Amino acid sequence: MKKAVFIYIAAVLLTVCLIIVLTFFGTANITLLETYKILSMKIFGFYKSEAAGMGTKETIIWRVRFPRTLLAFVCGGALSVCGGVYQAVFKNPMADPFVLGVSSGAAFGATIGIVLRYPANFLGMNMISWLAFLGSLFAILIVYNIAKVGRQTHLTSLLLTGTALSQLLTAIISIAMMVSGDDMKRIYYWTLGSFNARGWSHIATVLPYCAVGIAIVAAHTRELDIIMLGDDAAVRMGVESEKIKRIMLVSTAFIMSACVSVSGIIGFVGLVAPHVVRLFTGPMHSRLLPAAFLAGGCLLSICDTIARSAIAAEIPVGIVTAIIGAPFFIYLLRTRRHEVL
């Protein structure tokens, strides 16, 4: 137990160091030491005399790079938790918010909000976020009910249903782009995923809802472990598996909507991160999900840094995650092809 706690503390410290290093990267000529001093001054009040005279550099680090990197970390961690939950609920290692069409459902709802320009806000989130929540919930319920045969969800049905629904919603989004006029560029970047021009206000929007959704998931990690054993075993152990699944699906849709509302569609993070950390933590979700959150957050932060720093023109981060995640998905399909046939 003490060893596990030490490992998690070390992982958190390494994550903090990584976020500082990623904040350093960019086109502006700012050194790593200057980045560290600016963040230390803003967070802890250190180096006030040195950092206070940095002017524009301070603005770039604190108002542009750091909140963007932090937002990418939160969204990546949240998507990875959702991926880990879907893999447990469907008892299928191929499950992922992007593969199952949940991201497309959220983007579909968000597109409706963009086109109709709903100005209203409720509980801190605008109508685009709430419509994204309804779209993601609609998508996951459709996929779950179609792919479910008796008490089992088959891999072939799961993948085909998610792919078909994703393509359908993408087609509708494309139609919306054609008729939206001025909103076409905004919707286009939404479908590719981007953290461009995101700042502290977006973190304030996303963080509370991700925290509540992840807290609900964390409270049911034991039930997720039991569900992985099969529905019959869950019944014998007094776990209402269908009720837990519904709670998990609604909670993850809530998390997904908050993330998609600020980042757009970002694929494969929820597939890659849980698989990698499972090699080290094992299948127990009380260990798996916290590690997946850190790994997914680091992965998406690195991808976003590559997206904004690799070339002069910014690349949508969804393209970078697809370049990494698509080969990984093909690898999983190949290694588990006996389940598809």
Side-chain angles (χ1 to χ4, degrees):
M1 184 64 181
K2 291 182 178 180
K3 182 179 179 181
V5 172
F6 174 78
I7 291 174
Y8 277 113
I9 292 175
V12 171
L13 292 176
L14 288 174
T15 300
V16 171
C17 293
L18 177 64
I19 290 175
I20 294 173
V21 172
L22 294 178
T23 303
F24 150 73
F25 283 98
T27 55
N29 186 21
I30 303 175
T31 67
L32 181 59
L33 181 59
E34 288 174 331
T35 301
Y36 170 73
K37 288 181 177 180
I38 291 170
L39 293 179
S40 297
M41 181 195 70
K42 289 292 186 178
I43 298 173
F44 302 109
F46 301 153
Y47 303 107
K48 286 186 177 181
S49 58
E50 296 180 53
M54 293 184 184
T56 305
K57 293 181 179 181
E58 178 186 337
T59 302
I60 292 172
I61 293 297
W62 186 249
R63 294 178 181 252
V64 180
R65 291 187 191 172
F66 183 62
R68 174 171 175 164
T69 303
L70 201 59
L71 181 63
F73 176 81
V74 171
C75 289
L79 292 174
S80 298
V81 170
C82 290
V85 171
Y86 290 146
Q87 289 164 19
V89 167
F90 291 103
K91 294 185 283 292
N92 196 307
M94 307 298 292
D96 162 77
F98 181 75
V99 174
L100 296 181
V102 184
S103 297
S104 296
F108 171 70
T111 299
I112 294 175
I114 293 173
V115 172
L116 298 181
R117 300 173 185 253
Y118 282 122
N121 287 271
F122 179 67
L123 296 178
M125 282 206 303
N126 57 32
M127 287 305 298
I128 292 177
S129 301
W130 285 109
L131 288 170
F133 167 69
L134 294 176
S136 59
L137 186 61
F138 163 78
I140 193 61
L141 291 178
I142 290 292
V143 171
Y144 177 67
N145 284 287
I146 292 178
K148 184 180 178 184
V149 180
R151 292 185 176 181
Q152 299 295 323
T153 52
H154 295 284
L155 176 58
T156 303
S157 299
L158 197 67
L159 296 180
L160 292 179
T161 304
T163 300
L165 182 62
S166 180
Q167 291 298 316
L168 174 62
L169 295 176
T170 300
I172 297 174
I173 292 172
S174 298
I175 294 173
M177 289 171 58
M178 294 174 63
V179 302
S180 62
D182 295 339
D183 292 320
M184 178 182 289
K185 186 175 180 180
R186 187 178 177 190
I187 297 173
Y188 174 72
Y189 273 95
W190 207 289
T191 60
L192 294 178
S194 177
F195 291 102
N196 186 33
R198 300 298 187 265
W200 290 111
S201 62
H202 298 91
I203 295 177
T205 298
V206 168
L207 196 56
Y209 294 95
C210 286
V212 170
I214 292 173
I216 294 172
V217 170
H220 294 85
T221 52
R222 176 181 172 275
E223 288 84 352
L224 289 174
D225 291 338
I226 295 173
I227 288 174
M228 287 290 290
L229 300 176
D231 291 334
D232 293 334
V235 171
R236 290 195 300 270
M237 300 181 72
V239 174
E240 300 180 61
S241 60
E242 290 302 314
K243 178 182 177 181
I244 297 299
K245 288 178 182 179
R246 286 193 294 269
I247 293 173
M248 293 297 98
L249 293 180
V250 173
S251 299
T252 51
F254 205 54
I255 296 170
M256 282 291 304
S257 65
C259 293
V260 170
S261 69
V262 298
S263 69
I265 300 178
I266 296 176
F268 298 111
V269 175
L271 177 69
V272 175
H275 269 283
V276 173
V277 300
R278 192 178 282 112
L279 299 175
F280 302 96
T281 66
M284 290 185 61
H285 289 84
S286 59
R287 297 179 181 178
L288 171 65
L289 294 182
F293 180 87
L294 292 176
C298 292
L299 175 61
L300 189 53
S301 297
I302 292 171
C303 289
D304 182 58
T305 302
I306 294 172
R308 64 179 171 82
S309 304
I311 59 176
E314 181 169 326
I315 306 170
V317 68
I319 294 177
V320 180
T321 60
I323 291 173
I324 296 173
F328 188 81
F329 181 71
I330 293 171
Y331 165 76
L332 289 179
L333 274 178
R334 178 173 174 78
T335 57
R336 304 183 67 88
R337 61 186 180 274
H338 61 280
E339 294 186 14
V340 181
L341 299 176

